[in-house]
Every structure is written in C-alpha cells, then in structure tokens.
Amino acid sequence: MEDEEGPEYGKPDFVLLDQVTMEDFMRNLQLRFLKGRIYTYIGEVLVSVNPYQELPLYGPEAIARYQGRELYERPPHLYAVANAAYRAMKRRARDTCIVISGESGAGKTEASKHIMQYIAAVTNPSQRAEVERVKDVLLKSTCVLEAFGNARTNRNHNSSRFGKYMDINFDFKGDPIGGHIHSYLLEKSRVLKQHVGERNFHAFYQLLRGCDDQKLRELHLERNPALYNFTRQGAGLNMGVSDGLDSDERSHGVVKEAMRVIGFSPEEVHSVHRILAAILHLGNIEFVETEENGLAVAEEALVGHVAELTATPRDLVLRCLLARTVASGGRELIEKGHTVAEASYARDACAKAVYQRLFEWVVNRINGIMEPRGRDPRRDGKDTVIGVLDIYGFEVFPVNSFEQFCINYCNEKLQQLFIQLILKQEQEEYQREGIAWQSVDYFNNDPIVELVERPHRGILAVLDEACSTAGPITDGIFLQTLDTHHRHHPHYSSRQLCPTDKTMEFGRDFRIKHYAGNVTYCVEGFIDKNRDSLFQDFKRLLYNSSDPTLRAMWPDGQQDITEVTKRPLTAGTLFKNSMVALVENLASKEPFYVRCIKPNEDKVPKRLDQDRCRHQVEYLGLLENVRVRRAGFASRQPYPRFLLRYKMTCEYTWPNHLLGSDRAAVSALLDQHGLQGDVAFGHSKLFIRSPRTLVTLEQSRARLIPIIVLLLQKAWRGTLARWHCRRLRAVYTIMRCFRRHKVRTYLAELQRRFQAARQPPLYGRDLEWPLPPAVLQPFQDTCHVLFCRWRARQLVKNIPPSDMAQIKAKVAAMGALQGLRQDWGCQRAWAQDYLSSGADNPGASGLFAQRLKSLREKDGFGAVLFSSHVRKVNRFHKSRDRALLLTDRHLYKLEPGRQYRVMRAVPLDAVTGLSVTSGRDQLVVLHARGQDDLVVCLHRSQPPLDNRIGELVGVLAAHCQGEGRTLEVRVSDCVPLSQRGVRRLVSVEPRPEQPEPDFRCSRGKFTLLWPGR
C-alpha cells in the first residue's frame, strides 16, 4: 500500500491487527475515524464509517489516483473497490457485484452514488452518444428513486425505505450499454403513518412545496402539508439538514429535470403528480354512519377530486369506497356494504397499493429506458455485468414488526452468502496455490435461515397458512402455532416457552437469536401485512382509468369478477422468493463488499459512539470476517509484488536479484530476516501467517526508504542535470548553426541588393537595406556608415576642386543646423562675398573693393568668408543699414554710407556662436566673448529676400572646424541676447505688407518685422 498513511493513522487493514479482539478492532476503528480515515479494509472487504461532513476524498483527481491501480496500491477507498470490481469484470470477463450493507444512516446510498460516479468517470473515453445516454440514466435514476423510495426518519434524513439492486451491463470494451434495477420490500405502510419526528416519502412534500400555484390548483391541493392526514406528521420537517440546503422545493425541480433526462414524457410526469395528489386526497376521506345504518363519505368533494385525478367515474369511486362486490358460488354478484372500520381499511389498502404500484412503475419505466438496445451476442460479444446492491442493514427497534422481520431475514441470507463466498474464495485460493486448507470455525446461520423459510414448518410458511385459512385467525393463534412447531429450536423462544423471561409479553412476542444478536418481534399486524389484500373492485376501477399511465399499473384489473383465480402470493412469500433469486444472482458473481457503520445517532461529525458502533460491528459480522481471513494466513501477496515492496531490505534482492526465480529471491529475503518459519510458499503467492511478520518487514523497509529516496533523488537530479546540459548543448549548436545560416542569408541578400550600387549618378542612394539578424545589427550600422562614406567619396570625386570649399561649408551648415531649419539655401550656389559682386552691390562694389584692399594690407587676412548688407539694431533701440564682412581673421561691421568705414572689428576667434530662427527670415545674432551680441538681418540681396543664413552659418562653422574649435549654433524662434549685460529677446513677426525688413523695439524686446509669410 502506498505510504500515504503512517502508523499514526492506525492499521489500514484490520487483518494486520496484533490481536483479533473487539477492543483492538474498536480502538483501530476509532483512531482512523478521528484522523479522517473513514475507510479500512478487511482483506478485500471495505469498512466505511459515515463522517457526517464533506471530506476532500472524491472528485476527478481522486478518481485518477485510483484508476487502474491494484486494491492495495492506494489507501482504502470506495474508488479502490469500484476499480477492483470494474477491472475484474473487464480483464477476466467475469460478472462482479458490490454488496453495500449497513443500518439506516450509515451512508449506504452515498456509497452507491460514489461507486456509480466512479464507473461513469472511467468509462466511454471515446464519448459514444449511446453510452453517454446510459450513463446519464444510471446517474439520474438515483435521484428519482430517492424521491419516491426515501424518507426522513429519526435515524437518517434521507433513509432508503426499500432495497435496491442494480445490474449495469458492459460491452467488450468495458463501456456501460444498459442496466436493470430490482427493488425489494418498499415500506408502503409509511404512506399511512409515520413515527414522531419522521416524514412520509419525499415525493409528497416535493409535490406540495415545489409545484407552482397553478399546478396546485389543478390538483386541488394546498401548499401546507399539515392539511393532509398522510403528510401531517412531517409537515414541519425538511427533507435534508436544518439549513435547508436540500429543500423540497429545490429537490422537486431536480427530480423533474432528472425524469426529463431519463426519458419520462411530460404526460407521464403529469400523471405521476396526479396520482400523488389522489393519494393525498384519499387519505383525507372519512366515513360516517347514516341514520339508515348505511355508510357515507363525510366530505364528498374529496371523492370528486380522487375521481378526477385518477380519470375514473365518480360514482364508481364512491361505490368502491363504501362497498365491495363478491361473486357467489353460482357466479351471482352480491354487493356487500362496508362498516366504518372496513371502509377505512379498504381506503388505506388502496392508498398503499397505489403508491406501491406507482413506485414499481417508475422502476420499470427506468428499466425499459436502460435496457440494452440492438444487442446481438453473436455480433457484439457477451455482455458482462457489475451489480450494485444497496440493501437495508440489520434493524433492532423497541418494537419490531413484520418489516423488521423481513429485513433481518434478508440480512441472514446475505450473511450466509457472505461467509460462504469468503470461505469459498479462501479455499479456492489455497487449492490454486497448493496450500493445505484448514477448517475454520464460524457462526453458522443456516439454522436461522431454515427457521424462517423452511417449507411447511418455517415461520413464513406458518404465516402463509394463517393468511389462507378461512375463519377468524388472529395474530395470537399464529404465535401459538409457531410455539408448537419450534418449541425445541435453539434459535427460537417466546414468553410461552420461557415464562420467566419478562422482556416478552404473553401472546404477543417471540424472539429469534440472529447472528447479530437477539431480536424480539411483535406479531400484531403480521397477518394483515403479509396478506396485504386489496379488494378486486379497486383493481378493476383503476384498470379502467382513462389515464394510460395509471391503467398500465393495474394489469390484473382486467380479470372479470366471476373468474376463478389463484390466491395471490403473500408479501412474505414474494419477499422470500426475491431474496432467493437475489442470493442466487450474487452467488454467480465475483463479490466485493462495503460494510457501512453509523458512528452516532446525532449525525455529529468526529464523534464515534463506542457502544453503538460495537453493536454494528457485531451484527455486521466484521470481527468474524477478520477471524475467517486470518484463520490460515493473515496476508498473501504475489511474489513480484512482495519483492517490489521489500527487496531493498535484502542484499541479494537489491536492486534486482540474480536468482533463478522470484520465489527463490523471496526465500532468500525471508532467510536473511529469519522469517521462514512464519510463511508458506504457494505456486505464485507468498502466504504470511502472522501480521507481526509484515510489521517486521515494514519497519525494515521504513528505515531504508529515506536512504533510498536520497539515492534516487541524487541520481535523478544528476540525470536531470545531464539532460539539461545536453539540451543546452543541443540548443547552442542549433543556435550557432541557425545564426550562421542567418548571417549567410543576410550577406547573400546584402550582396544581391548592392550589386548595382556602383552605377552613377545615384550610387545606390535608393537601395533598401535588408533587415539584419539581431547579432548583425552593429555590423550593419558600421556597414551603413562605410557605405555612406563610400558614396560620398564617389560623389565628391566628381566635384571640381573650386567647389570643394562650398561643399564643405554646406556640409558644416547641415551639421550645425541639425535639421531644425528647413530652408537654409543649400540648393543654390554660394557666392560668399556678395558686396564685391556687381549684381548684389552695383553702385558700391568698387568702393567695397578699395576698403577690402586696405583692410587686407592692414590686418593681413587671407580670404573673405562672407559679406552682405544687413539691418542692425543696437542697445539704444536704433536700427541702421550696415554691412557685414567676415574674413578668416576678423568680423567687421561696416558703414556703407561712408565708404564702408569700419565701425567695429571683432577677432574671429572671439566669436563663440550664433543664433538663428527656424523660419525663412534672415535674422542672425552673433555672440562674441567679452562683447555685446550683434543683432542683424541680412537684406538688400539679389534676388530680394534671398536665403543666406545657411551660407553664413556654413562658412563660419567650416572655418571653426578647420581651426579645431566648436561653433555653437542655436535655432530658436525667440532668440536670447546680451547687450551691455542686459538680457533681451528678439523674435520675428511676419508682415506681408512690410516693404523691407526692420526692427521694432518695445519693453526691452526686439521684434524683426519680416516682409513675408
């Protein structure tokens, strides 16, 4: 078993107890229950304790953990039993069954639900529609049967008041293809009366509280259950827990949806509701005697409601309630009126019979829908079956009647089968393995079963004889007959036979010594409940109903009253026959058992009542089961599985043995531990006699497991690291090859695109560079720079030497302006010395030439960089026309009106920068170190307003670059300047009507009025 349960959780299998005593059994059961381990094995039998709370033990994840596993590979669980039954059915093509037993409230119904959910979850992986339909019907049928067959009792809020056995048919692939439900001993007397604190069947309350008002009016019902005799007792109780999570209103909708999914038509559902309503109205009918010694119904409107809901004539309903028709010997019909007592008996018998027939019809309708469709064994192969039996457990009440007698007889039969099958399985396994079989002493309940069902003298036979005898046969006379027949039976006694036993009353009680203990039965009502007679008038009435659903429930009503028919079988005989058939059916299958235990009477979680559970352990025969299992050998395991679990405890078997066989390896392992004397060797299994041997092996294994785990972890981590390293190497190799491929592809594409780059005049200007791999992005950036330089070189080679100075100036201007000024005159030729040009300075070019000659002689400059007429503004806010001369030594401000007299000369190395705007205006501010900034606007050019700012910037920047210093060029639409330490701003204002550029001064700010947009 997987090490998910340590010693602190007790023994997961009661067979492993050191001592097989009730005290040790209860101590282990309580320890596991308080630790949340509600499941424990007895060999292959599962013991389940109801936790009365939701536990995280179920769902898809839990199903996946148990699917396909052996029984002992995981901790005890319902899923393990369901998986074992399913695998046995699928692998060996054997029919199997799961028998779930226990008293009311022990969790039998919930256990059967979990088993059905497991089977539904692990089947039909291909999602075939027909299989899905069958699965839906199987799952939904439980909800419908609970509504009509379950009720709230003092022991259980959802107690099954009937026994259920469901066969699930599977095809050769292991998918469910159909099913069949058998029901046993519905407690129909509950329709009439319930004990204090209990309710009628859920269906009545769901109808009253779940239907809408319009439907209730159609059924002539009120919503309050207290208005009806049959539901008054449980009117203030809910079907579920006190918080109302399982309210009748919600459950009504769930049941209706389940019936729709199963395949009930809307008309059939409506008929079911009408029949339930008719039963409620029937229970409210009272009878009174008339003055003419006749009989009448106290409230005749109820008769009309019953007639309408059953679709029968009102007068016939009234006649059946007040009288019955009998046939004389000459087949003459005689109508015999009822007394009040007889009419009440007939009414109650009718109500019970109608509900029983309704329940049987629901079961048969589900069976008809679940029947396998279109199956041919010759074509589809033999079907296999898994049976699930959810049957009532042993019952001992303060007053035990006919129902308890039948239920306990059923448990005697099942216990008899259980012991026989367990012993049979043990004996067969011993024979298969060649182990000598030892006889086992156990409680033989054959005498008890014979006491009940023996022909002619058994209790049921005597009861049938009493029911068939004409004349006033009472329950007391029946008891006297039992005393006569069974006076000397060791398991039977009564007050007549044991006068000193005052726990029984004279003429009323008898006692049977069952395998689970002594039970005292009260014979009052035995004959009536066994006879269970219903007058033929009611059968004919309901058979002739115009409601097809109701009519189908009463096929025996078609017989004419004058026909001589056999006496119908009694309830006891029918139940005995069904039990015999059930036992034969189970005996033909491979059984799996679930024994359910109710921990306490208050339905409180985590509380186990020792006395209460001890009683259940006794009557379920669990301790006896442990003894049978341990009579020869407590445990048996196949050799491979034994080695797989314990091979690490022996040096000859770890990690893998080299001996001749697994048996030899197991023998060597046991020799090393000195345990040879406590085992026996079968053909394929090892049989271990004492649980202490297993404990010794488990302890040795537990000491070595941490060491092995560390070894495995180390090896696994090393393996993972090696895998990771190999993956990284492979990744790097792939990356390297891929990068090479990308580089080669990129270079080939680059070569292809630039093959025509040498063609003039563009030299590859419009070529688009391919997208490089990330690793080649720096390479492409470098290549792009080199290409640009190469292309520039190709273009420059074709430029005359005389134009090189102009080209350098334009390049310098482009770099200095950095794209911040869009129009700077790069498209035209730059003359630089415009004042010496006759075109720009036609009247004074000669005077300027003379001044230029004198300045060259005086200052010794080498070349004129730039000259132009300007409009300047000074710190006194006065603007004048001046000329600007820029040489390679000085910056001159000249006065054109006085033969270009020098007004200001600034050494060129003192000029630190200049500022221009981003528009088309010709404003420029020259900044000199230690002197006022010079604010000028180039003008009087040819053509007018010619753009020469870029030329000035370019020649000055190129000269500064040649001297190895930086010229700061700023581009701003609002240029700051400094004059005599005063900070000012100069901006440009376009004025289309302005004839010539000029400055305007206001509030210490200069504005250039530019004649343009």
Side-chain angles (χ1 to χ4, degrees):
M1 188 179 299
E2 190 177 276
D3 292 330
E4 295 184 16
E5 295 189 351
E8 68 273 14
Y9 296 107
K11 306 287 187 183
D13 193 331
F14 286 112
V15 175
L16 302 178
L17 291 174
D18 295 330
Q19 300 293 328
V20 185
T21 64
M22 179 60 76
E23 289 71 22
D24 290 333
F25 189 99
M26 292 303 302
R27 191 180 301 113
N28 189 63
L29 184 72
Q30 183 171 26
L31 173 62
R32 290 183 61 79
F33 177 73
L34 296 179
K35 292 285 188 178
R37 268 50 180 182
I38 63 173
Y39 298 120
T40 312
Y41 288 131
I42 303 177
E44 295 183 352
V45 176
L46 183 70
V47 179
S48 170
V49 185
N50 193 340
Y52 289 121
Q53 62 178 332
E54 293 291 334
L55 294 177
L57 300 177
Y58 313 100
E61 292 183 1
I63 289 174
R65 291 177 59 242
Y66 283 89
Q67 184 176 357
R69 298 284 185 169
E70 295 292 340
L71 195 66
Y72 285 94
E73 287 189 56
R74 299 291 189 196
H77 201 288
L78 271 171
Y79 290 162
V81 176
N83 177 67
Y86 180 72
R87 294 182 71 194
M89 179 274 300
K90 189 174 181 181
R91 283 184 174 182
R92 301 193 292 270
R94 289 197 58 181
D95 293 345
T96 61
C97 64
I98 302 174
V99 180
I100 308 172
S101 59
E103 70 172 45
S104 179
K108 300 186 300 297
T109 301
E110 289 301 314
S112 65
K113 288 181 184 177
H114 289 309
I115 289 172
M116 296 297 297
Q117 289 168 359
Y118 178 87
I119 293 174
V122 301
T123 55
N124 195 29
S126 58
Q127 298 293 310
R128 287 186 293 162
E130 177 61 19
V131 176
E132 286 298 310
R133 182 192 70 83
V134 172
K135 286 164 57 174
D136 287 341
V137 174
L138 289 173
L139 294 175
K140 296 295 184 182
S141 63
T142 302
C143 169
V144 176
L145 293 179
E146 283 185 3
F148 291 93
N150 287 28
R152 173 168 177 159
T153 67
N154 290 320
R155 292 190 170 190
N156 185 4
H157 287 160
N158 188 32
S159 176
S160 297
R161 307 318 300 160
F162 71 106
K164 179 180 69 174
Y165 174 75
M166 176 184 289
D167 268 333
I168 308 172
N169 298 80
F170 294 85
D171 61 13
F172 72 97
K173 293 186 291 186
D175 291 333
I177 55 171
H180 191 87
I181 298 172
H182 301 267
S183 62
Y184 303 100
L185 195 64
L186 177 71
E187 189 190 18
K188 57 186 178 182
S189 61
R190 180 169 293 273
V191 174
L192 308 180
K193 186 178 180 181
Q194 308 88 42
H195 294 294
V196 176
E198 297 188 356
R199 300 201 322 171
N200 210 322
F201 292 102
H202 295 324
F204 292 110
Y205 303 94
Q206 292 173 4
L207 177 71
L208 294 174
R209 290 172 173 157
C211 284
D212 55 48
D213 295 337
Q214 176 62 30
K215 185 66 174 291
L216 288 178
R217 284 194 294 271
E218 292 176 5
L219 301 176
H220 307 289
L221 294 175
E222 300 291 337
R223 198 169 295 280
N224 185 6
L227 299 177
Y228 305 97
N229 291 331
F230 289 165
T231 56
R232 182 173 295 124
Q233 170 61 46
L237 302 174
N238 202 339
M239 73 168 288
V241 290
S242 58
D243 60 6
L245 292 177
D246 279 332
S247 67
D248 294 304
E249 182 178 356
R250 187 180 71 86
S251 297
H252 176 72
V254 173
V255 173
K256 281 186 65 177
E257 175 62 18
M259 295 179 75
R260 183 194 65 79
V261 171
I262 290 172
F264 287 85
S265 66
E267 294 76 16
E268 290 173 332
V269 176
H270 183 59
S271 294
V272 170
H273 292 164
R274 289 162 60 92
I275 294 170
L276 291 174
I279 294 173
L280 292 176
H281 289 305
L282 194 62
N284 279 8
I285 293 178
E286 302 290 343
F287 301 98
V288 295
E289 294 183 351
T290 61
E291 296 179 356
E292 296 81 11
N293 294 326
L295 194 66
V297 174
E299 189 176 348
E300 293 195 358
L302 295 175
V303 178
H305 296 340
V306 173
E308 178 186 342
L309 294 171
T310 57
T312 55
R314 181 185 180 281
D315 56 339
L316 292 181
V317 174
L318 184 60
R319 183 187 301 173
C320 291
L321 289 171
L322 300 180
R324 67 189 180 102
T325 304
V326 296
S328 65
R331 297 194 176 185
E332 181 182 355
L333 300 181
I334 301 174
E335 187 173 288
K336 181 181 178 182
H338 288 318
T339 63
V340 172
E342 291 173 340
S344 299
Y345 175 84
R347 173 203 62 203
D348 294 345
C350 180
K352 291 191 298 181
V354 170
Y355 192 81
Q356 182 182 19
R357 297 290 180 99
L358 172 63
F359 181 78
E360 292 173 351
W361 177 85
V362 170
V363 173
N364 292 332
R365 186 75 178 87
I366 294 174
N367 286 337
I369 295 171
M370 284 199 301
E371 285 297 326
R373 300 178 179 178
R375 299 290 297 173
D376 185 355
R378 293 172 298 180
R379 180 192 64 201
D380 303 316
K382 177 182 176 295
D383 295 344
T384 48
V385 172
I386 292 181
V388 180
L389 177 64
D390 175 6
I391 201 75
Y392 14 64
F394 200 83
E395 290 190 353
V396 184
F397 297 144
V399 179
N400 301 288
S401 187
F402 179 72
E403 290 85 3
Q404 283 69 49
F405 173 77
C406 292
I407 288 172
N408 293 340
Y409 159 65
C410 166
N411 279 270
E412 288 286 355
K413 293 286 289 183
L414 293 177
Q415 179 68 9
Q416 182 186 40
L417 174 69
F418 174 68
I419 295 297
Q420 289 175 354
L421 290 178
I422 291 294
L423 290 176
K424 182 181 177 183
Q425 286 177 341
E426 291 285 300
Q427 187 173 6
E428 288 179 352
E429 185 171 22
Y430 278 48
Q431 291 174 352
R432 280 197 309 269
E433 296 296 326
I435 304 296
W437 170 254
Q438 300 176 358
S439 60
V440 179
D441 294 330
Y442 63 93
F443 183 91
N444 187 358
N445 62 349
D446 285 345
I448 304 174
V449 175
E450 185 181 8
L451 171 67
V452 176
E453 63 180 22
R454 180 182 177 185
H456 307 302
R457 297 177 62 86
I459 295 176
L460 288 177
V462 173
L463 183 59
D464 286 350
E465 185 178 355
C467 292
S468 62
T469 302
I473 300 298
T474 64
D475 295 320
I477 296 175
F478 161 64
L479 180 58
Q480 292 175 9
T481 308
L482 289 181
D483 291 342
T484 302
H485 287 315
H486 305 295
R487 180 179 301 274
H488 303 294
H489 199 288
H491 295 277
Y492 176 87
S493 66
S494 68
R495 185 66 182 274
Q496 181 69 30
L497 302 179
C498 300
T500 59
D501 189 351
K502 296 184 179 181
T503 59
M504 295 183 288
E505 291 190 12
F506 278 108
R508 192 194 76 170
D509 297 339
F510 70 93
R511 179 176 297 152
I512 295 179
K513 183 180 179 181
H514 290 281
Y515 78 93
N518 297 336
V519 182
T520 301
Y521 297 100
C522 174
V523 298
E524 294 178 355
F526 260 58
I527 292 178
D528 284 341
K529 292 178 180 179
N530 186 54
R531 183 183 292 125
D532 195 27
S533 59
L534 178 66
F535 296 141
Q536 191 70 19
D537 302 68
F538 285 107
K539 296 179 181 178
R540 289 194 301 273
L541 173 71
L542 298 174
Y543 173 75
N544 291 308
S545 169
S546 58
D547 185 344
T549 301
L550 183 60
R551 178 186 177 91
M553 300 177 191
W554 299 90
D556 48 346
Q558 61 182 328
Q559 296 175 340
D560 189 82
I561 192 172
T562 59
E563 293 182 18
V564 179
T565 59
K566 294 174 62 177
R567 184 183 300 277
L569 296 177
T570 61
T573 300
L574 289 172
F575 185 70
K576 182 191 73 172
N577 294 342
S578 64
M579 285 297 102
V580 172
L582 174 63
V583 168
E584 291 177 354
N585 189 6
L586 295 178
S588 66
K589 295 177 170 59
E590 183 176 341
F592 295 84
Y593 292 93
V594 179
R595 302 300 213 186
C596 299
I597 293 178
K598 183 177 182 179
N600 59 75
E601 288 291 343
D602 301 323
K603 310 174 187 67
V604 178
K606 292 190 176 181
R607 194 178 82 189
L608 190 139
D609 187 336
Q610 284 274 353
D611 295 335
R612 189 81 186 80
C613 293
R614 186 188 302 266
H615 176 65
Q616 296 175 73
V617 169
E618 289 176 350
Y619 76 66
L620 286 173
L622 300 183
L623 203 60
E624 193 165 79
N625 188 6
V626 177
R627 291 195 181 101
V628 170
R629 183 74 180 182
R630 286 183 45 154
F633 295 92
S635 176
R636 65 288 317 264
Q637 295 186 33
Y639 294 127
R641 190 189 303 170
F642 183 86
L643 281 176
L644 186 64
R645 185 162 185 83
Y646 300 114
K647 63 181 180 179
M648 71 287 299
T649 64
C650 176
E651 57 183 327
Y652 302 111
T653 58
W654 178 256
N656 293 302
H657 71 84
L658 300 176
L659 301 176
S661 64
D662 287 345
R663 176 173 175 172
V666 171
S667 179
L669 188 151
L670 294 171
D671 277 339
Q672 181 167 326
H673 288 279
L675 301 174
Q676 278 278 14
D678 197 42
V679 300
F681 292 90
H683 298 312
S684 63
K685 290 183 179 180
L686 174 70
F687 288 74
I688 302 173
R689 181 172 286 105
S690 170
R692 191 166 298 280
T693 298
L694 279 179
V695 171
T696 302
L697 291 171
E698 284 292 335
Q699 290 174 348
S700 299
R701 181 178 182 273
R703 287 193 298 268
L704 292 171
I705 283 297
I707 302 172
I708 296 173
V709 167
L710 289 176
L711 176 65
L712 293 176
Q713 286 179 343
K714 181 176 69 174
W716 179 243
R717 287 170 179 163
T719 301
L720 290 179
R722 287 188 291 273
W723 285 356
H724 183 65
C725 182
R726 283 199 293 267
R727 280 197 295 269
L728 284 179
R729 288 175 180 172
V731 167
Y732 289 144
T733 301
I734 294 171
M735 290 172 59
R736 189 164 55 251
C737 294
F738 182 70
R739 285 175 177 171
R740 290 174 181 173
H741 167 72
K742 294 290 286 186
V743 167
R744 285 194 296 269
T745 303
Y746 169 75
L747 294 177
E749 178 65 17
L750 195 65
Q751 182 180 11
R752 185 188 66 81
R753 293 192 182 189
F754 283 84
Q755 283 179 349
R758 295 180 180 274
Q759 300 297 325
L762 299 180
Y763 293 103
R765 184 191 68 181
D766 298 329
L767 291 177
E768 184 177 352
W769 288 72
L771 183 66
V775 69
L776 290 182
Q777 185 63 52
F779 171 77
Q780 177 163 303
D781 295 340
T782 304
C783 288
H784 192 268
V785 173
L786 293 175
F787 174 75
C788 291
R789 290 181 176 178
W790 173 83
R791 183 171 176 272
R793 177 61 181 165
Q794 298 303 314
L795 294 174
V796 166
K797 284 195 305 183
N798 298 324
I799 298 176
S802 58
D803 294 338
M804 284 304 298
Q806 184 179 158
I807 294 299
K808 290 181 179 180
K810 289 183 177 182
V811 171
M814 181 184 297
L817 295 174
Q818 298 179 353
L820 298 177
R821 183 178 175 108
Q822 297 299 321
D823 189 4
W824 48 275
C826 67
Q827 301 295 331
R828 63 177 181 80
W830 288 358
Q832 298 182 350
D833 187 5
Y834 292 99
L835 295 181
S836 299
S837 170
D840 264 55
N841 192 12
S845 60
L847 294 176
F848 177 75
Q850 294 176 6
R851 178 60 62 186
L852 193 62
K853 180 179 179 181
S854 62
L855 288 176
R856 181 177 285 112
E857 294 174 351
K858 176 183 176 183
D859 297 332
F861 61 86
V864 176
L865 301 181
F866 184 81
S867 65
S868 175
H869 288 105
V870 297
R871 184 75 172 175
K872 70 97 182 181
V873 63
N874 60 16
R875 67 180 184 274
F876 302 111
H877 301 173
K878 294 181 179 180
S879 58
R880 296 286 188 272
D881 286 335
R882 294 288 185 263
L884 183 68
L885 173 62
L886 182 65
T887 69
D888 56 0
R889 300 288 296 275
H890 290 83
L891 171 65
Y892 300 99
K893 181 176 71 173
L894 308 177
E895 185 177 3
R898 296 186 178 183
Q899 298 178 354
Y900 293 98
R901 180 176 65 90
V902 176
M903 300 184 66
R904 181 180 176 184
V906 179
L908 196 57
D909 56 3
V911 176
T912 59
L914 56 83
S915 298
V916 299
T917 66
S918 61
R920 291 183 55 85
D921 57 87
Q922 300 299 297
L923 175 67
V924 59
V925 178
L926 295 163
H927 308 284
R929 186 171 50 251
Q931 301 190 39
D932 291 344
D933 293 339
L934 179 62
V935 184
V936 298
C937 174
L938 307 181
H939 80 132
R940 291 172 60 183
S941 60
Q942 292 297 327
L945 305 180
D946 191 18
N947 196 340
R948 297 176 180 173
I949 287 293
E951 187 174 352
L952 174 59
V953 172
V955 295
L956 186 56
H959 179 76
C960 291
Q961 289 176 3
E963 292 183 345
R965 61 188 182 92
T966 303
L967 177 70
E968 183 180 0
V969 179
R970 287 179 291 188
V971 180
S972 175
D973 290 336
C974 189
V975 180
L977 57 96
S978 175
Q979 291 179 336
R980 298 291 180 174
V982 179
R983 303 289 295 177
R984 302 177 187 273
L985 294 175
V986 59
S987 60
V988 178
E989 180 181 335
R991 282 193 177 182
E993 69 278 5
Q994 181 78 19
E996 292 290 335
D998 200 2
F999 288 95
R1000 183 184 65 189
C1001 303
S1002 63
R1003 298 182 181 179
K1005 178 180 179 181
F1006 299 143
T1007 301
L1008 173 64
L1009 303 179
W1010 179 255
R1013 296 185 179 275

